[in-house]
Amino acid sequence: MSILGNRVQRREDPAFLTGGDHYLENIPVDGALRVVYVRSTVAHARIAAVDTDAAREAPGVVAVFTAADIDLAPLPPAMETMNQAMTRPWLADAVVRFVGEAVAAVVAESWAEAVDAAELVFVDYEPLEAVVDPWAALAGDAVLFPEAGTNVVCEMSIPESGPSDDLFAGCDVVVRAAFDNHRLAPCPLEVQAAASRWEPDGRLTHWSSTQTPHMVKGALMAAYGLDPEQVRVVAPDVGGGFGAKFGSYPEALLLPWIAHRLGRPVRWAETRSESMVALGHGRAQLQEVELGGTRDGQVLAYRLTALQDSGAYPLIGAALTGFTALMTSGVYAIPKVEFSSRSVVTTTNPIVAYRGAGRPEACAALERAMDLYAGEIGQDPTEVRRRNFIRPEQFPFTTAVGTVYDSGDYERALDLLLEAAGYERLRKEQAKRRAEGGARQIGIGVATYVEITSPVPGGEFGAVEITTEGRAVVRTGSSPHGQGHATAFAMVASEYLGLPMGAIDVVHGDTDEVPSGVGTFGSRSLQLGGSAVRLASEQVVAAAKDLAAQLLEANPDDIVLSSGAFHVAGTPAVTRSWAEVAADAGPDGLTAELTYEERGPTFPFGAHLAVVSVDTETGGVELLRFVAVDDAGRIVNPLLAEGQVHGGIAQGVAQALYEQFRYDGDGNPLTTNLADYAMVSAAELPSFELVSCETPTDRNELGVKGIGESGTIGSTPAVWNAVIDAVSHLGVTHLDIPTTPERIWRAIEAARTT
């Protein structure tokens, strides 16, 4: 019986639950000094002076550094396609561009002493005009990088020739709307942390709370001119990342410079308040949608125009409109589709990849547009979707923007959803409440989606070693931060090695132990890392059969692996164990390693339904039910998959109802702690109703698709649509998200007076 597909309990949890975990702040670094950064309190200003004299004389202080001390080249934009004049200094140099930017580094014997000394650093600011609104940034009245001459980081268009004048020719109906897919704070439970130590032999050891240890190693090599063998990066247990810990930040990458300058190890960990303003934010995309079709529900054309807020420096967030572009047309066979985007810098915290990273933005825009279209033509929103789905027999399917989907059955997902939710009964209940005219009305919102996983080209490293004790050591370039990699990869190895999971150790996050790797982002780990483990396991089995054949004096073709031992086919009584075979392998041991290259990205899909109750007198919203069908191909461990879906839905619901990172017009952050920033908790969420659906892919060795971000793709527009549906009979056709009680109440009052 296969272990794959079973609800195997997470191997990681006992350590996490009993204090046996190893988060970065739990790791001893003997003799380490503490670094605390002085951060800008204004959004945009010239730095007239930085007075560090008092701080240098404070108790326990070893050094204070400013930009004038740093002899490293500035950090370039994340990609070559971005405006290369928009470089980022390690510490703010002459100008600050957002509240929270590091201006000085205070180094002391203890964290408390460094914090106290940081308060003594005086920065003389000469204010410049803040640019918070992306439209104002696009206008360019105030330019953040005068040497660039513009606030535009990059732009793209599909087709390259730009928008056409006749896109909606032949359409009976065209709906248009503007949406704000607003800024979010990732809020991982573990904030950023790092430590650096130069070893006696000149090697650098760097600990980092990151999703991508090998990427951090590459950044350190580039910054300090080091060869690969001179750098070791260790990512211990990581308490959440959600995309914001993709790579590393200047505050962490500067630690080796400080350690080298002072001749002692150093470590740094931000506070929650620092994390809110300095750990990269997500989303922040302004959208204009136009969707046209016939009166009977056939969509003929769609255009999405996006303005991406990149924050103060062009990190990966400036390029995420590329993923929005790939998924513009969603699950629908729309004949004509256009997309265009521009990314601009503003005096705010830089935008990075946040769970879904460009794909939720595409889905939210299209799914709201589909509801607007259904309302305009007087059809049920589920039937409009059904009519326009890509059909199963059309796969692999090339969309109008050139994206090639692997497999899918979108109508089946919708049917499963509507049946599980009791859609017709819900609509009858809604009609009954409306007829009764009470204050509490319900809304039903549906969203169907497809996303791209493993969207960035590049393989993943995997290795399997059999020890002379008969245990297996699995090494992977993937690096977990809560997903359950140790469980999933051990399951894959167990399946193909025939060893119990208890005899399999999974090693990750140490660039000395794992020679290469890419990391964990874009829901890529199982389809690439898991496939690498499968192939490495099969290679080890093939090599072991050759060795077992010699021990059993048989033909390798006649050797069978059964119940963790090798025997000649038809002679199961005489066996050789893994330990015996490994002992006979010689000094090189029994090992296989490879870098697995997938046959293209995969495209998970699904359908989500939300039921909300809205108090039409106060605008208060309660999420009553949430039903989800998420198809991620073959499911290796339903327990892990459901955990990922649960987390994704929670974050998607939060964007629709609660969470928003806000700035005032001067660039001052208004939501800098978890009292002001309404991060969702279990108290606001119902028990999710998950429906199984599996459509395997042929693009990897396991038939799996990514599951880590799917929950965030469909959940936000499903809840968004539900809230608007609850008050649509009152004349409300649009609400910005988050759909707060105030916004709902104001929209209802405005509709009553028109």
Side-chain angles (χ1 to χ4, degrees):
M1 178 179 174
S2 174
I3 192 173
L4 303 183
N6 288 292
R7 301 177 68 84
V8 177
Q9 295 291 319
R10 285 166 47 106
R11 303 174 65 188
E12 299 88 341
D13 289 347
F16 292 144
L17 295 172
T18 59
D21 45 37
H22 292 87
Y23 294 102
L24 207 144
E25 281 291 274
N26 304 135
I27 295 174
V29 182
D30 293 341
L33 298 166
R34 282 283 182 169
V35 178
V36 167
Y37 287 99
V38 178
R39 298 188 179 276
S40 173
T41 56
V42 296
H44 195 201
R46 291 189 182 91
I47 300 175
V50 182
D51 185 349
T52 62
D53 290 347
R56 293 178 193 275
E57 298 301 320
V61 171
V62 176
V64 181
F65 299 110
T66 66
D69 300 304
I70 309 300
D71 54 2
L72 301 171
L75 297 164
M79 299 176 67
E80 291 183 358
T81 54
M82 299 176 183
N83 193 314
Q84 294 300 296
M86 298 177 178
T87 59
R88 182 173 187 173
W90 294 83
L91 296 172
D93 188 4
V95 174
V96 293
R97 295 184 173 89
F98 70 99
V99 172
E101 183 171 7
V103 177
V106 176
V107 189
E109 294 289 348
S110 71
W111 180 78
E113 289 170 325
V115 169
D116 288 345
E119 295 289 334
L120 301 176
V121 175
F122 175 75
V123 185
D124 185 6
Y125 296 108
E126 296 177 354
L128 298 169
E129 183 179 347
V131 185
V132 178
D133 182 0
W135 289 110
L138 187 62
D141 294 335
V143 177
L144 273 63
F145 296 85
E147 58 274 31
T150 178
N151 288 324
V152 176
V153 177
C154 54
E155 52 190 318
M156 68 177 299
S157 180
I158 302 175
E160 292 185 3
S161 57
S164 58
D165 295 332
D166 61 348
L167 181 67
F168 298 102
C171 294
D172 301 329
V173 175
V174 179
V175 293
R176 294 178 171 87
F179 305 136
D180 180 1
N181 205 295
H182 58 274
R183 178 181 289 256
L184 300 174
C187 299
L189 289 183
E190 182 197 26
V191 294
Q192 287 191 85
S196 287
R197 180 178 67 205
W198 292 93
E199 308 297 350
D201 61 359
R203 293 189 82 219
L204 170 64
T205 300
H206 182 81
W207 293 267
S208 178
S209 179
T210 180
Q211 301 169 212
T212 54
H214 288 88
M215 187 178 295
V216 173
K217 178 176 178 175
L220 291 169
M221 288 164 52
Y224 297 103
L226 300 172
D227 294 329
E229 63 273 11
Q230 294 177 284
V231 182
R232 177 192 183 191
V233 172
V234 180
D237 292 323
V238 175
F242 309 117
K245 292 182 182 177
F246 174 90
S248 195
Y249 291 74
E251 295 93 331
L253 296 176
L254 187 59
L255 296 185
W257 184 92
I258 297 173
H260 191 271
R261 181 75 171 261
L262 300 179
R264 289 180 61 180
V266 297
R267 65 190 310 161
W268 160 75
E270 63 188 5
T271 64
R272 174 61 61 187
S273 295
E274 285 181 286
S275 183
M276 295 298 288
V277 298
L279 181 69
H281 291 164
R283 307 289 187 259
Q285 189 181 106
L286 300 176
Q287 304 170 324
E288 295 177 344
V289 298
E290 302 168 272
L291 186 144
T294 63
R295 281 282 174 193
D296 60 0
Q298 187 69 46
V299 178
L300 301 177
Y302 177 58
R303 177 185 288 144
L304 173 59
T305 305
L307 180 61
Q308 178 66 55
D309 182 352
S310 304
Y313 296 100
L315 304 183
I316 190 64
L320 292 179
T321 54
F323 293 157
T324 306
L326 287 174
M327 306 314 300
T328 302
S329 57
V331 293
Y332 308 113
I334 306 175
K336 297 187 293 182
V337 179
E338 293 181 355
F339 174 87
S340 62
S341 70
R342 286 173 290 188
S343 299
V344 295
V345 286
T346 60
T347 54
T348 60
N349 188 12
I351 297 297
V352 297
Y354 173 69
R355 201 169 193 168
R359 292 100 81 196
E361 294 88 323
C363 180
L366 181 55
E367 289 303 290
R368 274 300 302 137
M370 289 296 285
D371 261 32
L372 289 170
Y373 174 57
E376 183 66 23
I377 63 176
Q379 287 194 14
D380 186 282
T382 64
E383 292 308 311
V384 170
R385 286 169 170 80
R386 188 188 306 279
R387 172 159 189 168
N388 290 282
F389 283 148
I390 300 164
R391 317 309 300 180
E393 64 272 13
Q394 293 178 279
F395 290 94
F397 182 83
T398 302
T399 72
V401 294
T403 309
V404 183
Y405 297 169
D406 53 350
S407 61
D409 191 340
Y410 305 147
E411 186 170 19
R412 176 170 178 255
L414 180 62
D415 288 342
L416 288 170
L417 179 80
L418 299 183
E419 180 181 0
Y423 184 72
E424 293 301 326
R425 292 194 303 275
L426 289 171
R427 286 297 181 195
K428 289 178 180 178
E429 172 64 18
Q430 182 184 58
K432 177 175 177 289
R433 291 201 187 196
R434 288 181 176 180
E436 292 171 349
R440 279 280 176 185
Q441 296 293 321
I442 66 168
I444 304 116
V446 171
T448 50
Y449 77 89
V450 60
E451 68 144 329
I452 182 172
T453 57
S454 186
V456 179
E460 191 54 272
F461 176 85
V464 174
E465 174 190 357
I466 305 297
T467 70
T468 54
E469 293 80 23
R471 296 184 64 83
V473 178
V474 173
R475 293 180 171 83
T476 175
S478 294
S479 187
H481 41 284
Q483 297 89 340
H485 285 17
T487 301
F489 291 170
M491 289 177 67
V492 173
S494 175
E495 174 74 8
Y496 295 99
L497 297 175
L499 287 171
M501 287 183 62
I504 299 171
D505 301 309
V506 178
V507 177
H508 55 78
D510 186 331
T511 62
D512 272 10
E513 293 288 334
V514 182
S516 67
V518 176
T520 297
F521 55 89
S523 303
R524 70 192 304 276
S525 290
L526 189 59
Q527 53 196 34
L528 272 76
S531 292
V533 171
R534 172 184 173 169
L535 291 181
S537 298
E538 290 177 333
Q539 290 181 13
V540 164
V541 169
K545 285 183 176 180
D546 288 339
L547 293 169
Q550 297 175 30
L551 295 172
L552 295 168
E553 299 181 350
N555 189 314
D557 294 339
D558 296 330
I559 299 298
V560 175
L561 172 61
S562 177
S563 300
F566 297 88
H567 64 83
V568 179
T571 315
V574 181
T575 65
R576 292 293 182 268
S577 68
W578 271 111
E580 291 173 303
V581 172
D584 196 57
D588 294 335
L590 192 53
T591 303
E593 64 178 50
L594 56 92
T595 296
Y596 176 73
E597 298 282 350
E598 197 172 34
R599 296 180 289 275
T602 64
F603 294 85
F605 63 93
H608 288 184
L609 182 145
V611 182
V612 300
S613 171
V614 175
D615 187 329
T616 58
E617 294 178 346
T618 67
V621 179
E622 180 184 358
L623 180 61
L624 301 176
R625 291 180 65 192
F626 197 96
V627 189
V629 179
D630 294 283
D631 191 316
R634 185 184 186 190
I635 300 299
V636 167
N637 185 331
L639 189 69
L640 296 181
E642 289 170 10
Q644 289 296 295
V645 172
H646 278 216
I649 292 173
Q651 287 178 282
V653 169
Q655 183 181 10
L657 294 179
Y658 309 115
E659 296 183 20
Q660 181 179 19
F661 198 95
R662 298 173 56 234
Y663 290 90
D664 68 14
D666 294 322
N668 298 306
L670 302 177
T671 46
T672 57
N673 55 58
L674 296 183
D676 298 327
Y677 184 84
M679 190 171 80
V680 72
S681 74
E684 290 80 45
L685 299 169
S687 294
F688 303 138
E689 303 167 50
L690 307 186
V691 181
S692 177
C693 186
E694 296 187 28
T695 306
T697 181
D698 61 0
R699 293 189 177 177
N700 60 63
E701 308 311 307
L702 295 173
V704 301
K705 304 181 183 185
I707 191 64
E709 296 166 286
S710 291
T712 62
I713 312 294
S715 54
T716 299
V719 175
W720 193 4
N721 285 338
V723 174
I724 295 174
D725 181 61
V727 293
S728 61
H729 66 294
L730 302 177
V732 177
T733 59
H734 175 70
L735 287 164
D736 288 327
I737 49 174
T739 53
T740 60
E742 180 182 354
R743 284 177 170 170
I744 295 170
W745 181 84
R746 288 186 182 278
I748 292 171
E749 290 302 302
R752 284 174 176 165
T753 58
T754 57

